[in-house]
């Protein structure tokens, strides 16, 4: 029996490795990083002026986990984006320097190389630019860019690492590019769902998970109307009827279009079982409560999405809700949250 298990493990490893293709470009004097692109995923967006190298990713990872970027030297990017929580945290609103409470729930960092806008309101068009927001926000890291660069320049290691990665001393552009480089490597595509859908192994789902999969993609549940595609998001902005009156107006704060009031970016559902609490303000604690919200049809905001509605004949039964939640749990990627490449070297076993 142990030999059968070993052979099965080898076959599975071969299937997983074969499910990736590699994309990179050669850069003289740099160690190329081979970005593994899962089957079913489109070509990622990587800026021409920030192509991936091992040096850039290593620098970005070091910066991501370093509290030197915050004014009190206690808060790092990883303080609110914890690897074991799929790079979010478990609090409704994250705490920044001096215990300051943020305004929105921390978003998970998953498959960002395929995102075309960032933040809950989509107000930032690139991963490099996104980093400026938490860095300078007084409720988060509360730093001036100039002060960060001064700290990095006087650090015993960073000047050499910036020189190796970007051929320059520490500066704002290279700081943002390095962290973005690391974040683009955070690829999740090895869940039970991926083995079922892309690996064509129908046997991995039990009956409840399969019923949930069918319901998720059905006209009755409407889940896949917004949470679609390889990353379980259509990257649009939707008002899901969370409130009749929104304290945070979301996308409207960017566009000033009345039709965008209460609209927020549709988040990925990958690893969703690990990313509670939910919604832009972390106001819903559990997946069961999320389904209850959608099952009642929202709260009838004027801008509410057409996909958030419920007639009596469309309401989900208790068994159907359990099936959908069981399906959502198949999106958990244990290899992603336990990947040693995504945690600091001093925390590796």
């Amino acid at each position: 029996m142990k030999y059968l298990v070993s052979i099965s493990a080898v076959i599975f490893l071969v299937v997983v490795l074969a499910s990736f293709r590699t994309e990179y470009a050669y850069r003289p004097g740099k160690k190329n990083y081979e970005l593994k692109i899962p089957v079913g995923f489109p070509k990622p967006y990587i800026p021409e002026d920030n192509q991936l190298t091992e040096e850039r990713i290593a620098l970005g990872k070091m910066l991501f986990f370093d509290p030197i970027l915050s004014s009190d030297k206690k808060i790092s990017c990883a303080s609110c984006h914890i690897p074991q929580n799929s790079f979010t945290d478990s609090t409704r609103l994250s705490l920044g320097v001096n215990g300051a409470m943020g305004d929105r729930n921390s978003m998970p960092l998953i498959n960002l190389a395929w995102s075309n806008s960032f933040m809950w309101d989509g107000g930032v068009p690139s991963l490099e630019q996104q980093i400026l927001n938490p860095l300078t926000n007084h409720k988060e890291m509360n730093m001036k860019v100039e002060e960060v660069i001064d700290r990095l320049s006087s650090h015993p290691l960073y000047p050499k690492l910036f020189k190796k990665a970007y051929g320059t001393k520490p500066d704002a552009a290279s700081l943002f590019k390095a962290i973005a480089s690391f974040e683009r490597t955070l690829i999740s595509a090895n869940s039970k769902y991926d083995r079922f859908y892309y690996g064509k192994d129908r046997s991995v789902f039990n009956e409840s998970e399969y019923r949930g999969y069918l319901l998720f993609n059905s006209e009755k549940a409407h889940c896949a109307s917004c949470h679609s595609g390889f990353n379980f998001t259509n990257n649009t902005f939707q008002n899901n009827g969370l409130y009749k009156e929104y304290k945070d107006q979301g996308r409207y704060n960017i566009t000033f279009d009345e039709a965008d009031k209460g609209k927020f970016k549709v988040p990925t559902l990958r690893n969703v079982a690990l990313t509670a609490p939910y919604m832009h303000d972390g106001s819903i604690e559990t997946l069961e409560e999320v389904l209850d919200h959608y099952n009642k049809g929202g709260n009838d905001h004027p801008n509410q999405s057409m996909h958030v509605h419920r007639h009596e004949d469309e309401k989900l039964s208790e068994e159907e809700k359990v099936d959908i939640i069981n399906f959502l749990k198949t999106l958990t990627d244990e290899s992603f949250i336990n990947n040693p490449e995504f945690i600091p070297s001093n925390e590796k076993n």
Side-chain angles (χ1 to χ4, degrees):
M1 179 62 71
K2 68 178 182 179
Y3 294 110
L4 290 176
V5 172
S6 298
I7 292 171
S8 297
V10 171
I11 292 173
F12 173 70
L13 180 61
V14 170
V15 169
V16 170
L17 292 175
S19 69
F20 291 88
R21 68 183 190 274
T22 298
E23 178 161 314
Y24 60 92
Y26 176 69
R27 282 165 296 282
K30 302 293 181 183
K31 295 179 182 177
N32 274 13
Y33 180 82
E34 299 181 7
L35 188 65
K36 296 180 175 65
I37 304 173
V39 166
F41 282 41
K43 182 178 179 179
Y45 174 70
I46 303 174
E48 283 297 322
D49 65 348
N50 195 25
Q51 294 293 299
L52 298 178
T53 69
E54 292 183 10
E55 293 90 348
R56 292 172 179 181
I57 293 165
L59 172 59
K61 177 181 177 180
M62 186 172 174
L63 290 164
F64 186 90
F65 290 98
D66 197 336
I68 195 175
L69 301 185
S70 63
S71 59
D72 62 2
K73 297 185 179 180
K74 295 180 180 180
I75 301 296
S76 69
C77 302
S79 297
C80 302
H81 298 284
I82 303 167
Q84 290 74 22
N85 290 93
S86 198
F87 287 90
T88 182
D89 57 22
S90 57
T91 62
R92 179 174 179 177
L93 302 173
S94 300
L95 299 179
V97 296
N98 301 317
M101 183 173 290
D103 297 316
R104 292 174 177 167
N105 184 251
S106 175
M107 298 190 83
L109 306 183
I110 305 171
N111 299 334
L112 298 179
W114 290 271
S115 291
N116 56 11
S117 63
F118 300 88
M119 315 294 286
W120 278 105
D121 54 25
V124 180
S126 78
L127 198 51
E128 282 77 5
Q129 294 177 50
Q130 185 276 332
I131 295 155
L132 181 64
N133 185 286
L135 184 69
T136 58
N137 189 314
H138 70 281
K139 293 183 178 181
E140 297 186 51
M141 292 178 163
N142 190 38
M143 281 290 279
K144 294 180 179 180
V145 175
E146 296 83 0
E147 186 175 349
V148 173
I149 300 308
D150 286 343
R151 287 186 182 181
L152 296 176
S153 298
S154 59
H155 190 274
L157 297 177
Y158 278 121
K160 180 180 179 180
L161 296 177
F162 272 85
K163 185 69 175 179
K164 288 176 63 178
Y166 290 99
T168 184
K169 60 184 180 181
D171 60 22
S174 298
L175 166 65
F176 301 154
K177 287 179 179 179
I179 297 176
S181 292
F182 170 64
E183 291 178 338
R184 287 192 174 98
T185 69
L186 304 179
I187 299 175
S188 178
N190 190 30
S191 64
K192 181 186 284 191
Y193 166 80
D194 292 300
R195 298 192 290 277
F196 163 82
Y197 189 80
Y198 295 109
K200 308 300 181 184
D201 184 358
R202 300 296 188 256
S203 68
V204 300
F205 275 7
N206 62 36
E207 291 183 4
S208 177
E209 292 165 345
Y210 186 67
R211 288 196 303 267
Y213 163 73
L214 295 177
L215 273 168
F216 184 91
N217 291 284
S218 70
E219 287 295 321
K220 181 175 184 178
H222 279 280
C223 305
S225 298
C226 296
H227 296 286
S228 58
F230 70 97
N231 211 28
F232 287 85
T233 173
N234 59 6
N235 291 311
T236 64
F237 301 89
Q238 302 288 332
N239 180 316
N240 67 355
L242 187 60
Y243 301 110
K244 286 188 176 180
E245 295 184 11
Y246 283 78
K247 180 179 179 181
D248 183 345
Q249 296 292 350
R251 185 68 174 163
Y252 171 80
N253 297 333
I254 304 300
T255 67
F256 301 108
D257 184 340
E258 290 289 323
D260 283 337
K261 283 189 172 180
K263 289 186 177 180
F264 294 87
K265 186 173 183 179
V266 176
T268 178
L269 294 186
R270 284 187 173 274
N271 297 307
V272 68
L274 306 175
T275 61
Y278 304 102
M279 307 299 172
H280 71 276
D281 58 356
S283 59
I284 298 184
E285 292 289 337
T286 67
L287 287 174
E288 288 79 6
E289 292 174 281
V290 171
L291 280 190
D292 286 341
H293 165 73
Y294 288 119
N295 206 33
K296 77 173 185 178
N299 290 300
D300 297 322
H301 188 279
N303 291 339
Q304 185 169 304
S305 170
M306 62 178 289
H307 301 299
V308 182
H309 64 84
R310 277 291 174 268
H311 302 300
E312 282 304 315
D313 61 349
E314 290 183 314
K315 285 187 178 295
L316 300 171
S317 69
E318 291 304 311
E319 181 182 4
E320 287 175 324
K321 287 190 284 186
V322 169
D323 288 342
I324 290 178
I325 289 173
N326 284 339
F327 166 67
L328 292 175
K329 290 178 180 178
T330 72
L331 303 181
T332 299
D333 180 353
E334 294 289 342
S335 65
F336 176 73
I337 62 173
N338 293 302
N339 190 329
E341 298 303 317
F342 299 161
I343 61 175
S345 298
N346 59 2
E347 292 184 16
K348 296 180 182 179
N349 292 329

